[in-house]
């Protein structure tokens, strides 16, 4: 058992951190407030190979694991330049296609994921079902050699930037007549596919959308892998999503903590830095401790996943996502408190994070569903839903 990261990942972290710093939080906020996109940062990260570190080498990627991709995500967030689409496109979509896609699908999509030229959104959440895959009503029916897809999705990130969307739907089992999950790659310019922005009280360069699929005709090859592997395919993407979600929160927590500590060192009241007062020093120290604990759980989850232990990774990934969200909320709140009134001034770059970190308790899976999972699977308690 090793609690230190390999030299290659440490070097990767340093390089990505420098890239993020070269853009900075002001760049990100400028894009978010103007309705712009972080295209320049995404494209440069793609050219440098950072977005494709976990894509198999044979398709132009780095051949590393989700732990390395999570490190990239964390470092960008730690410099105030978060790329939410990283949680979805290379982590969920590329992983699912690499593990379960046909050879044709791999050859078509993975080289683009490796360079960042391909952006793919992920659509599971529905108005009535939430993220409950057993109640999804988006349905795919056979149409000759192809499929016809109909349904609705909500809170889908980055559709306006995506080339395609990996849609979780259901198909009818020919033997039983029951519906079962299936994943389809749907181009965003397909006839019958519409998306509308959902207005959010978030300052973010990444927008949320509602999807409307009205008899979208798809070719046979739009179905990812095998119909019978749908559940395995789905969870192959959801564990990396949770690991990336944890890393996203950790990075923002680091950014906020760094800002709070720096201010506590330089701001002087009554002839001494405010950081000398335990009322500020202790909460910042507590955030540091909780941050390191959450980071360890995230690294454990990534190690288990990359080692092929999907169930063990599921438990650790849920715990990591929970811990990351909680410490991010506390880190931002304490950084704002340390700054006093300046914490809500635009100049200091903290106020906009208050709502952003709160999202970590809701997505990609709610805190309550994480607790349900731990209660049932880790503690052996009766299922509560």
């Amino acid at each position: 058992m090793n609690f230190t990261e390999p030299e290659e990942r440490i070097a990767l972290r340093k390089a990505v951190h420098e890239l993020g710093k070269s853009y900075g939080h002001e760049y990100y906020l400028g894009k978010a407030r103007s309705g712009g996109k972080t295209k320049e940062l995404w494209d440069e990260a793609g050219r440098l190979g950072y977005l494709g570190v976990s894509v198999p080498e044979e398709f132009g990627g780095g051949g590393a694991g989700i732990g390395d991709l999570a490190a990239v995500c964390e470092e960008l967030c730690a410099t105030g330049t978060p790329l939410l689409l990283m949680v979805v496109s290379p982590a969920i979509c590329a992983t699912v296609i690499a593990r379960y896609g046909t050879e044709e699908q791999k050859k078509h999509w993975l080289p683009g994921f490796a360079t960042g030229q391909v952006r793919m959104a992920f659509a599971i959440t529905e108005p009535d079902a939430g993220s409950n895959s057993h109640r999804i009503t988006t349905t795919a029916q056979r149409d000759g050699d192809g499929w016809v897809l109909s349904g609705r999705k909500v809170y889908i990130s980055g559709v306006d930037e995506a080339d395609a969307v990996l849609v979780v739907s259901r198909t009818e089992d020919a033997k039983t007549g029951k519906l079962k999950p299936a994943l389809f790659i749907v181009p965003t310019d397909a006839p019958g596919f519409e998306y509308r922005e959902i207005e959010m009280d978030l300052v973010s360069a990444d927008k949320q959308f509602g999807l409307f699929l009205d008899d979208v005709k798809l070719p046979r090859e739009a179905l990812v892998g095998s119909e019978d592997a749908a559940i395995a395919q789905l969870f192959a993407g959801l564990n990396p999503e949770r690991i990336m979600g944890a890393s996203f929160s950790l990075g923002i927590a680091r950014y906020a903590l760094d800002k709070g500590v720096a201010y506590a060192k330089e701001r002087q009241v009554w002839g001494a830095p405010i950081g000398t007062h335990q009322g500020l020093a202790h909460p910042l120290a507590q955030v540091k401790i909780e941050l390191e604990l959450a980071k360890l759980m995230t690294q454990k989850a990534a190690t288990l996943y990359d080692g092929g232990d999907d169930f063990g990774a599921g438990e650790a990934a849920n715990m990591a996502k929970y811990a990351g969200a909680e410490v991010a909320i506390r880190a931002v709140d304490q950084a704002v408190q340390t700054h006093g009134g300046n914490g809500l001034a635009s100049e200091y770059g903290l106020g906009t994070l208050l709502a952003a970190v709160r999202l970590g308790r809701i997505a990609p899976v709610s805190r309550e569903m994480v607790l349900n999972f731990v209660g049932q699977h880790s503690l052996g308690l009766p299922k509560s839903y």
Side-chain angles (χ1 to χ4, degrees):
M1 187 175 293
N2 193 338
F3 292 98
T4 58
E5 293 184 313
E7 292 182 7
E8 294 82 1
R9 187 178 297 173
I10 293 172
L12 174 65
R13 283 185 178 276
K14 183 178 179 181
V16 173
H17 197 88
E18 290 301 315
L19 173 64
K21 279 177 60 179
S22 72
Y23 284 83
H25 194 53
E26 288 186 6
Y27 159 83
Y28 180 83
L29 283 181
K31 294 293 185 181
R33 286 179 169 141
S34 67
K37 301 298 177 185
T38 51
K39 183 179 185 300
E40 301 90 347
L41 176 56
W42 178 279
D43 288 346
E44 186 168 356
R47 285 195 303 271
L48 293 170
Y50 301 149
L51 301 179
V53 292
S54 60
V55 173
E57 286 184 278
E58 63 184 295
F59 298 104
I66 197 66
D68 294 284
L69 186 63
V72 173
C73 179
E74 181 187 332
E75 294 304 322
L76 288 174
C77 290
T79 61
T81 56
L83 296 178
L84 182 59
L85 201 56
M86 272 199 73
V87 179
V88 178
S89 188
I92 302 176
C93 302
T95 298
V96 168
I97 292 171
R99 286 186 65 172
Y100 292 100
T102 64
E103 283 305 309
E104 291 76 15
Q105 288 169 340
K106 293 176 184 179
K107 291 175 183 177
H108 180 80
W109 292 107
L110 292 181
F113 281 119
T115 61
Q117 291 177 307
V118 164
R119 295 168 174 82
M120 189 178 289
F122 177 69
I124 182 173
T125 308
E126 294 190 355
D128 297 321
S131 297
N132 183 355
S133 60
H134 299 289
R135 294 190 61 192
I136 284 174
T137 59
T138 298
T139 306
Q141 296 181 326
R142 290 193 179 277
D143 179 39
D145 196 34
W147 300 88
V148 175
L149 191 62
S150 297
R152 285 186 61 194
K153 300 289 182 180
V154 291
Y155 297 113
I156 311 305
S157 304
V159 182
D160 57 335
E161 299 179 73
D163 304 285
V165 182
L166 184 61
V167 176
V168 182
S169 68
R170 303 178 80 184
T171 61
E172 184 177 298
D173 190 307
K175 296 180 180 178
T176 65
K178 294 181 179 180
L179 295 176
K180 57 183 181 180
L183 278 64
F184 290 87
I185 299 172
V186 183
T188 53
D189 61 357
F193 179 94
E194 294 183 27
Y195 58 91
R196 299 174 193 167
E197 183 178 345
I198 301 171
E199 293 294 330
M200 305 287 290
D201 288 335
L202 292 170
V203 180
S204 173
D206 301 280
K207 307 303 181 184
Q208 300 296 313
F209 296 89
L211 304 188
F212 302 85
L213 301 106
D214 184 14
D215 291 338
V216 179
K217 291 189 176 183
L218 299 171
R220 174 184 54 82
E221 56 269 20
L223 174 68
V224 176
S226 165
E227 281 186 76
D228 298 325
I231 287 291
Q233 290 172 177
L234 181 56
F235 284 96
L238 294 185
N239 281 338
E241 180 187 40
R242 284 149 176 68
I243 293 168
M244 293 291 284
S247 297
F248 197 91
S249 292
L250 289 175
I252 295 177
R254 283 174 51 195
Y255 174 81
L257 180 60
D258 288 347
K259 299 275 283 187
V261 169
Y263 193 80
K265 289 178 179 178
E266 65 188 32
R267 171 69 169 161
Q268 293 208 12
V269 177
W270 298 303
I274 60 175
T276 61
H277 304 301
Q278 292 175 343
L280 290 178
H282 283 186
L284 291 171
Q286 185 178 3
V287 168
K288 173 63 174 176
I289 291 170
E290 294 174 2
L291 176 58
E292 293 300 321
L293 293 174
K295 189 171 181 177
L296 279 174
M297 182 53 76
T298 304
Q299 290 173 339
K300 176 182 179 180
T303 299
L304 289 171
Y305 183 82
D306 289 335
D309 183 357
D310 286 343
F311 184 80
E315 179 185 55
N318 275 290
M319 291 180 176
K321 183 268 172 191
Y322 178 99
E326 296 302 308
V327 73
I329 290 171
R330 282 192 282 273
V332 172
D333 184 70
Q334 190 55 46
V336 169
Q337 191 69 23
T338 300
H339 280 72
N342 286 337
L344 297 178
S346 299
E347 166 186 0
Y348 291 86
L350 287 170
T352 56
L353 298 179
L354 286 167
V357 291
R358 187 60 181 78
L359 185 62
R361 278 185 178 166
I362 302 168
V365 61
S366 71
R367 178 173 62 171
E368 290 71 26
M369 286 306 295
V370 170
L371 294 174
N372 282 338
F373 180 95
V374 172
Q376 180 184 347
H377 296 287
S378 302
L379 301 180
L381 296 172
K383 188 174 181 179
S384 60
Y385 60 94

